[in-house]
Amino acid sequence: MMKFLFMMIFMIPLCFMKNMFWLVQMMLFFMMFLFMNLNLNIMCFFNMSYMSYCDIISFGLILLSIWICSLMIMASESLFKLNFYFNFFLFNVIFLLIMLYLTFSVLNLLLFYFFFEASLIPTLLLIIGWGYQPERIQAGMYLLFYTLFGSLPLLMGIIYIFNDLNTMTIYFLKFFNMNMYLLYISMIFAFLVKMPMYFVHLWLPKAHVEAPVSGSMILAGIMLKLGGYGLLRVMIFLQEVNLKLNYIWIIISLVGGLFISMKCFCQVDMKSLIAYSSVAHMSMVIGGIMVMNYWGFIGSYILMISHGLCSSGMFCLANINYERLHSRSLYINSGMMNFMPSMSLWWFLLLSSNMAAPPSLNLLGEISLINSLVSWSNISMILLMMISFFSAGYSLYLYSYIQHGKYFQGLYSFYVWFISWVFIIIFALISFKYDNFKGWFYFYLILNKK
Amino acid sequence: MSGYGFSETDCKIILKQIERRAKFRQEFLKLKSDPCKHSQEAGYVFDPAIQRFLSMKSCQVEYFKPCFRTARFAILTIIVPMCTLGVLIWNDRTEREQKIRRGELRYKDRLFKLA
């Protein structure tokens, strides 16, 4: 595990050398290839050392982090071409990757909290430094203060756990049962804000819309999953009190997910629509984790991975349109199939995955989550049915509005296609489909082992 | 044109509208076909109406003023459905739990045992 940390640290000087933009990006691909070939054991912890470890959850999320970071650099080619502080941008991305890698691999709860918070700084710098509109400053403040407001009780909870149990090692917490309501609220609130759950989701549409393509990709791809990862870890020692209080979070997230899905139909901004759809998907993830059954955990994890890939791809596609048309409005970006018919294939594949159409990994996650939530209560079937229906609805709405029909008459000419974009989209989809087969295979393995 | 059922005043108004529309169309076509304009400067011909609409959508939240009407809407459409569903789910789960404890629901009849 240390070798990857050293590899990332020693990539930092490369960021400031001349003409190293693509080398840094290729090194990240290489690192991902190395990480994939670790001796993965899906049923226990491996590569354990004094400070770090890896299990199937950490492994998948670290892999996703490295992948998304390399795609972020690829998608931000325009910064390199326009010579817009790309050295500092690369340093930002590598620093963010180091923080995310350490967040997912540390054994200590306090260190997890430290890196969880530290990952906000490069994200804020990405939004404020490379964002497009003046509203990005307010969006950055929303992101920062929403997360900080939620995570201060988390810090107090961690310190209380250390005072009480004399340990903060995540691995040992499974032997304890902390049956305290205040501790429970303080531990999970930060992660619910990060996910985000309905009522505390207001930072997400602002941050996603105002962020540049790289910021949107990392926010949708990994930063939301930090909340899910945190919930998966802390639920181990909060099971008893969670079984009493999970009603609140499940109902808020499911009903909220329904309202957010309906709000997607009111959006005129492509990125805003994709951002709200992320909230709807994460609401199902929260429901699956809070239900506290095996299929719920598995489904949440699979949906986190699949949504990370799918949502990042969609933001990438939205940025492709934005770079050419200089607008994210659906009215301007209509009838794109007339100009870029090959792009409509990618839009369709990613939006069909977003609506959990087969054979996407999203389908596997949603099936597992639906099973787990319906096993918890039959009445949740109504909400899940409506969320899934509206998810298909707004995905098709976005696709048909952008691709079909007449194009906006006032468009100026633009370059249709850069070859590098082909690679980004292909890589996003290949990883998605590869994870899909891997996901179904692991699902089969896990069920049989059980 | 007055022979087609329009009065003189209506005819004048319609002709002025046609003239204005033709003038705007010429201006639009001139801007659109300007060879010096390309997507590096701007992606589309600037339309004040579209800009006003997009600015309105992005600043909508700042003009929101909480009042009795909006609070009533929020409570009736968000809080009440959540509480109603909460009560229904609580009752459903409690009843199932009681049935299991009383032995009315046998183990082999329970659904989602292995979930």
Side-chain angles (χ1 to χ4, degrees):
Chain A
M1 299 301 285
M2 195 61 105
K3 55 182 172 282
F4 297 103
L5 186 61
F6 274 124
M7 188 167 173
M8 287 185 277
I9 289 170
F10 287 121
M11 274 164 67
I12 291 175
L14 272 184
C15 300
F16 295 100
M17 291 165 73
K18 266 189 179 178
N19 296 327
M20 290 291 165
F21 190 82
W22 294 119
L23 181 66
V24 170
Q25 195 255 327
M26 284 298 151
M27 291 302 290
L28 286 176
F29 274 135
F30 179 60
M31 191 163 70
M32 169 149 179
F33 173 73
L34 288 176
F35 196 82
M36 265 200 294
N37 290 309
L38 279 177
N39 196 9
L40 167 68
N41 189 328
I42 58 172
M43 296 313 265
C44 60
F45 293 102
F46 64 96
N47 275 18
M48 214 154 177
S49 69
Y50 184 70
M51 202 185 88
S52 69
Y53 73 117
C54 205
D55 70 345
I56 181 67
I57 305 173
S58 315
F59 177 81
L61 289 167
I62 292 172
L63 211 57
L64 187 65
S65 307
I66 302 171
W67 186 248
I68 299 286
C69 284
S70 55
L71 289 182
M72 271 163 73
I73 296 174
M74 217 181 201
S76 304
E77 189 193 355
S78 59
L79 298 179
F80 178 58
K81 283 192 174 161
L82 297 171
N83 198 11
F84 187 63
Y85 301 102
F86 64 89
N87 301 102
F88 190 55
F89 171 79
L90 286 174
F91 169 69
N92 231 356
V93 172
I94 300 296
F95 183 71
L96 178 59
L97 179 59
I98 293 171
M99 293 299 115
L100 291 170
Y101 175 83
L102 289 168
T103 311
F104 292 127
S105 63
V106 287
L107 264 174
N108 191 306
L109 209 51
L110 186 64
L111 281 176
F112 164 75
Y113 171 81
F114 177 78
F115 293 120
F116 175 86
E117 294 300 309
S119 61
L120 275 177
I121 307 293
T123 314
L124 183 71
L125 287 173
L126 274 176
I127 293 174
I128 292 184
W130 287 273
Y132 305 121
Q133 281 90 29
E135 290 86 9
R136 68 188 188 268
I137 306 211
Q138 191 195 37
M141 293 300 113
Y142 263 69
L143 163 73
L144 193 66
F145 286 103
Y146 260 83
T147 313
L148 288 178
F149 174 69
S151 61
L152 187 60
L154 173 65
L155 176 63
M156 291 163 68
I158 291 171
I159 293 170
Y160 176 83
I161 288 171
F162 180 68
N163 272 341
D164 199 28
L165 305 177
N166 253 351
T167 179
M168 284 189 288
T169 306
I170 293 174
Y171 183 74
F172 294 142
L173 292 173
K174 67 179 180 182
F175 299 115
F176 301 102
N177 176 29
M178 314 286 285
N179 192 11
M180 282 166 262
Y181 292 103
L182 196 56
L183 179 69
Y184 171 74
I185 303 284
S186 60
M187 292 301 287
I188 69 165
F189 189 62
F191 303 122
L192 291 176
V193 170
K194 197 77 177 179
M195 284 299 286
M197 189 183 67
Y198 190 68
F199 289 140
V200 289
H201 69 283
L202 288 174
W203 64 270
L204 188 138
K206 283 191 181 292
H208 272 76
V209 167
E210 302 303 332
V213 62
S214 49
S216 298
M217 285 171 80
I218 198 68
L219 274 167
I222 289 294
M223 304 299 282
L224 305 191
K225 283 68 190 170
L226 280 172
Y229 177 79
L231 279 176
L232 288 171
R233 292 294 184 215
V234 303
M235 276 304 146
I236 308 291
F237 60 93
L238 294 171
Q239 292 176 48
E240 192 179 333
V241 65
N242 187 57
L243 285 172
K244 295 173 200 165
L245 292 181
N246 63 355
Y247 286 85
I248 305 168
W249 316 120
I250 295 172
I251 287 161
I252 289 175
S253 32
L254 288 182
V255 178
L258 176 62
F259 292 146
I260 287 286
S261 304
M262 288 195 266
K263 200 166 161 57
C264 287
F265 287 101
C266 307
Q267 301 306 314
V268 294
D269 185 335
M270 287 191 294
K271 281 178 93 167
S272 189
L273 199 153
I274 300 168
Y276 277 111
S277 84
S278 297
V279 180
H281 283 100
M282 288 301 109
S283 71
M284 291 183 68
V285 170
I286 293 172
I289 296 173
M290 291 296 176
V291 167
M292 301 282 298
N293 56 29
Y294 191 67
W295 280 58
F297 270 45
I298 299 280
S300 303
Y301 177 62
I302 292 174
L303 193 59
M304 287 199 307
I305 300 286
S306 56
H307 178 265
L309 290 165
C310 181
S311 194
S312 301
M314 287 195 296
F315 276 116
C316 201
L317 287 173
N319 184 63
I320 289 173
N321 276 22
Y322 180 76
E323 279 191 348
R324 283 144 184 80
L325 276 62
H326 289 264
S327 173
R328 293 187 305 263
S329 166
L330 287 177
Y331 302 117
I332 311 287
N333 286 281
S334 62
M336 285 291 110
M337 199 188 271
N338 295 296
F339 297 121
M340 299 189 274
S342 47
M343 185 75 92
S344 66
L345 169 69
W346 308 114
W347 270 110
F348 176 74
L349 288 173
L350 283 169
L351 282 169
S352 65
S353 304
N354 193 42
M355 69 169 100
S360 64
L361 204 54
N362 299 65
L363 175 71
L364 174 59
E366 284 204 18
I367 286 174
S368 312
L369 286 173
I370 287 170
N371 268 331
S372 78
L373 282 160
V374 170
S375 76
W376 183 75
S377 170
N378 292 337
I379 299 170
S380 62
M381 206 188 305
I382 305 166
L383 292 167
L384 290 165
M385 179 186 76
M386 292 171 80
I387 290 175
S388 299
F389 174 71
F390 285 129
S391 162
Y394 61 67
S395 300
L396 282 172
Y397 166 70
L398 181 62
Y399 175 75
S400 62
Y401 216 110
I402 290 176
Q403 302 302 320
H404 297 160
K406 276 189 179 179
Y407 57 86
F408 184 66
Q409 294 292 329
L411 292 178
Y412 293 134
S413 60
F414 51 85
Y415 283 112
V416 165
W417 201 234
F418 291 114
I419 194 68
S420 53
W421 286 111
V422 176
F423 288 119
I424 300 172
I425 308 291
I426 290 177
F427 284 149
L429 266 170
I430 283 178
S431 67
F432 189 59
K433 295 301 172 193
Y434 171 66
D435 267 353
N436 185 6
F437 294 119
K438 221 167 57 168
W440 286 99
F441 176 63
Y442 278 136
F443 189 60
Y444 168 76
L445 272 181
I446 289 166
L447 280 179
N448 275 343
K449 271 198 188 281
K450 195 175 180 291
Chain B
M1 273 181 81
S2 57
Y4 290 95
F6 293 103
S7 65
E8 283 292 327
T9 324
D10 285 343
C11 284
K12 280 183 188 163
I13 292 170
I14 290 168
L15 285 170
K16 270 195 183 156
Q17 282 174 341
I18 291 170
E19 195 186 318
R20 192 166 57 222
R21 189 181 157 86
K23 195 174 71 172
F24 281 140
R25 187 169 180 273
Q26 282 303 315
E27 193 187 325
F28 175 79
L29 287 173
K30 189 178 157 191
L31 283 170
K32 188 171 182 301
S33 57
D34 185 348
C36 299
K37 292 271 190 194
H38 50 80
S39 68
Q40 290 299 321
E41 283 185 14
Y44 52 97
V45 175
F46 180 74
D47 186 354
I50 290 182
Q51 186 56 51
R52 273 198 297 274
F53 175 75
L54 295 174
S55 303
M56 183 269 293
K57 288 297 276 188
S58 61
C59 301
Q60 220 167 10
V61 172
E62 287 157 32
Y63 290 96
F64 173 75
K65 278 186 199 140
C67 60
F68 173 73
R69 194 175 53 84
T70 56
R72 184 184 61 191
F73 177 79
I75 289 169
L76 287 177
T77 56
I78 300 173
I79 309 295
V80 166
M82 284 186 182
C83 294
T84 312
L85 265 159
V87 166
L88 287 172
I89 291 175
W90 177 276
N91 290 339
D92 175 53
R93 282 182 56 80
T94 311
E95 198 189 318
R96 191 170 76 177
E97 178 76 18
Q98 294 301 325
K99 273 188 181 171
I100 292 169
R101 284 174 187 267
R102 284 193 298 262
E104 289 171 14
L105 190 59
R106 289 177 290 180
Y107 183 76
K108 71 177 182 71
D109 294 329
R110 285 187 222 166
L111 298 173
F112 299 103
K113 280 192 281 279
L114 302 175

